[in-house]
Amino acid sequence: MAATIQVENLEIVGRRGKGAELPIVRDVSFSVQRGEMLALIGESGSGKTTVALSLLGHIRKGCRIAGGKIRVAGYDVTALTPHECRSIRGRIISYVAQNAGSAFNPALSIMRQVVEPALVHRILPRRDLEARAVSLFRALALPDPETIGERYPGELSGGQLQRLMAAMALMTDPEVVVFDEPTTALDVTTQIEVLAAFKAVFAERGITGVYVTHDLSVVAQIADHAVVLKDGAIKESGTVSKILFQPEDPYSQALLTAAEPRSRQADLARQPEQPSLLDVRNLVVGYGQPTSAGLPEKVIVNHVNFSVPKGSMLGVIGESGCGKSTLARAISGLQPWAAGELLLNGTPLAADVRERTPEQRRHLQLVAQNADSVLNPSKPIGQALERVVRFYGGLRGGAATRRVNELLDMVRLSPTLASRLPSELSGGQKQRINFARALAADPQIVLCDEITAALDTVVAAAILDLMKELQRDLGLAFIFITHDLHALQSICDRVAVLYAGQAVEVGPAVALGQGVHHPYTRLLHDSVPLMEPGWLEATQTRRLAEATPAPISPLSLDPGLCCFLARCPDRVSGLCDRVPPPVRSVPEGPRVLCHLPAFDRPEFST
Amino acid sequence: MNRHLVLLIGRRFLAAATSLVFVVVTVFAITNVLPGDATDALLGQGATPQAVAAMRHNLGLDRSVFVRFWFWLWGILHAEFGNSLLNGLSVADAIGPRLHNSLLLAGASAAVSVPVSLFLGVTSAIWKDTVYDRVVSILTLGMVSVPEFVIATIAVYVFAVRLHLLPALADVGSVHSLRQFLSAFFMPVASLALVTLAQMVRMTRAAMADTLSAPYIEMALLKGVGPIRLILVHAIPNAIGPIVNAVALSLSSLLGGVVVIEVVFTYPGISGLMVDAVSSRDVPTVQACALVFCVTYLFLTTFADIVTILSLPRGRKT
Amino acid sequence: MIVRIGSFRSRHDRAVVLIAFWLLLALLGPLCSSYDLGAIGSQPVFSGPSPAHLLGTDYLGRDTLARLLNGIRHTVLLCFASTVLSCSIGTFLGIAAVTARPWVEALTGRLADGFLSIPSLLFALLVIAVFGTSTTALIVTMGVIYTPGAYRTSRALAQRIARLDFVTVARARGESTTYIILQEILPNMAGPMITDVGLRFIYSVLLLSNLSFLGIGVQPPEVDLGSMVRENMLGMAYGSPAMIVPVIVIAVLTVGINLALDSSGGRR
């Protein structure tokens, strides 16, 4: 039997502006049998989305197919007229976009958009289609399946929209579904729910598809076969287990090494307890007018406590909107706080950076998030570094140049880069310069805000290595703010888990997978996909086997109560919805903000 | 209608009211508080101090600024703009019929230019980067880059001087038949429509092109939605707010155009009155005309913003 | 995005070269003509091109080329001066709104909104009615009219740049506000601001030409491009260069700069 999808020697070229045509996709061939899911794996710029879109006969502006053949379900896509193309899109082959938040039309209700593909191809009357949509909503575990269709995209969350987009793709019972990084923009705890919903529907309907992603552990859960793309060309293809466990191509091996959770601390001997360098005490940050309780109207960071010992690395983890970036801004002195204090070497720091002493500012350096905007585009690298060297150390002329070269060497970059402008550097190089600039101040502690978020896996892994080296060689302390639990575990000594502005748990990072934890920490830890097939099913089965959450009184809106109450699987009615959670510490373990440890194990001290 | 929406619109009205106060105060301030007394213009350099003093008393210029502002405001609220310094006639009476003529001219031009430019703007956005789009872009770029009188004089040159098709001057007074009406109005209306057209086409095209580059349009294409449905169902509902805004902003450039066109064609509208009043420094007339223009402009921009607010999709109203 | 800042250099360069060319022509042009400006010769009026008068004569029989070169001088210099005025004040206020205390932004923003709610031609008419049509009054009036627009552009730009990480890092380092403005913000504003200067120059040429055409801009015996068209309107019937050439020169001036900038922005 012929394969459902067959791509042969596909060549796509494109041009930027008025430049010459450059190849984007080079000699790509693969095939997908009925009922199979193929993963297209690649990093940014690998051409994976271009290939995926070409299956629908859609080539973005400025690009064109220069050669090769694409056959989907018996149609020769490369030879179709625009009208024929339209007739297969949404009917024979459908598409799930990366960012459902912007791929849904904000002006139309969900139901109108979900039934549209079936409606324009005149598959069924509208009424029957709406009934089918509701059953799909139910199959994808969406809340209120009967009425969710009446709502508008702006009123729903990212995870819900992503599942609705899948429902839209499945409306016509297409032969092929193309998923383009459908969970990349989601938080991990949402991602696992969406993946589970997808997987259930795949199993039920036997869907043939292509799944575009850069995340190898997602590939392990979803796909049967995989293709590794780099710079528009196939590096390796085969079954998922072959690619994940016996990769042959050096690039696939590099990808895997970078993605594998591995500890970078093995070589670090256990050090004696160090004195505290930075203490965050009861910090409250927010916006708006203070209320009667003296707190801001909208609290973003809520009574957070932790400390960073000299030369150690503290990871701060949480999902988007949990207040981790605001925390970073407050510590850097860019966002005033409403209550609490911040101590550096035991001395209180002023909330406003301008009121801190030069010495205090030098000791605490910020490495900001976005590699693209972190360097002044009109200043050569050398000048940017020299400024810091002069600003803090007062070095000038030859001494300054020597120090700049030394710094570039520290971050493993060539001194010849000093004369370059930031636009001439790669993302990874920019992030290294970013570090060099912080190091130029000769700091004691460096605050890193999501520095690996925008980087490709391989590049990000190298940056993590660099951080660990710096910690070891210079005795630097770090606060590493991230949403990536694997990255955090691989380099950090301690971890603070942030949820809705509260540090629900602070403890040693090694213990994250074992022992007693806050329910949110557990949820977070269990939601990070592992690179083993079957992990998703096992996790889901385990979760379903656990008791359903206890009912809570609907009046439990007191802001003093546990912030995780609404989502907590372990909550206790009459306790969690009545009494604010106490702070409990586990000997040799974490300090958590929860009733549960005491409830489970009465021996824990309060 | 939800509370949030009412709040947004309420805030817009408040902003309009603030602007209105600003406009009224500015018009008064520029024409009164600053030097350049009307008596200088009226009596000339050689006037005796006594004559000047008497004149100032007659005009009420010897009273305090606040008193004068109060009287002036009181007058405006009763549609009483004072008397012309030139002929002593009521400014309101002079403005009345001319305002009617001006509104007729502006309205007729808008009726021509709005549909034409919506069509050109939307189609050139749809067929972006085609020859059609390039031609429209270059022509409109040329037209927005030249002053209004250039377009008007070229029109006069071509139609009246070269082709002898139409009268170069608008003789509204002697209109007795539809034919006469058409030939008297055609030139000013066509010129004014041309003047506003270019701006409107460019802004409409930009708004529509912006919408068409949104991810949900690509998504609709990938669902197999046809071109007509794509434009009507997916693009227009999202582009309508920005387009209305663009149209209203361009219509306000119609106000600037009106001034020039009326002078070129000696059309008996309010602008001719104002330009003459400026030349002769007839302050009450200038004030009144400026107020009429500014209030119209304010009305247009407020209207556009409210349409934009109303067209915002649900859940995205911030 | 940041990537766009500092790119498009060639586009700015072209516009800068064009404006420089017109400035040069404005400064040196009138020196190239041997005719006395005011001299009403015995020449016939509205004559066509001839070896003595390359562009013919105007409604008083004066040399059109000499008048034209003078007209260019007035139009270009007046507008350039007013653009420099509006853009420097606007940029200053725009940066101040971003870097100074919040009330500065609130106040300047309100004022700009107020000014923008008066159509520019109307504002010009109003001010000229009071102050007359002296050169200074014209420059200041046009400068004031286009300040709110320049303010808004520069404020938006500065806001965008001030939010970028490299400025955040500089602030966290404890750099002074002056350093941040001069070293981090201004150099990255330069490119887009040149576009804005070009646009505002075009707007002032359009406004001044319109005013002069209406007879309330540059007054005789001085002449600019708009008033040349006005004076020689009668020549239209004869297709006289005295009336047509200034129209063409205005169009070449504004369309040229506009094409160089190729902006799709609106007119304000």
Side-chain angles (χ1 to χ4, degrees), chain C residues 22 75-76 201 205 225 248-258:
Chain C
W22 283 104
T75 299
V76 171
F201 180 67
V205 170
L225 294 172
I248 294 173
V249 171
I250 294 173
V252 169
L253 170 62
T254 53
V255 176
I257 296 174
N258 229 337

Side-chain angles (χ1 to χ4, degrees), chain B residues 28-41 56 68 281 283, chain C residues 126-132:
Chain B
F28 181 81
I30 291 178
T31 47
N32 277 272
V33 183
L34 304 169
D37 201 309
T39 47
D40 296 346
R56 286 177 62 88
R68 266 156 42 208
R281 297 185 143 185
V283 171
Chain C
L126 203 58
V127 177
I128 289 167
V130 177
F131 289 97

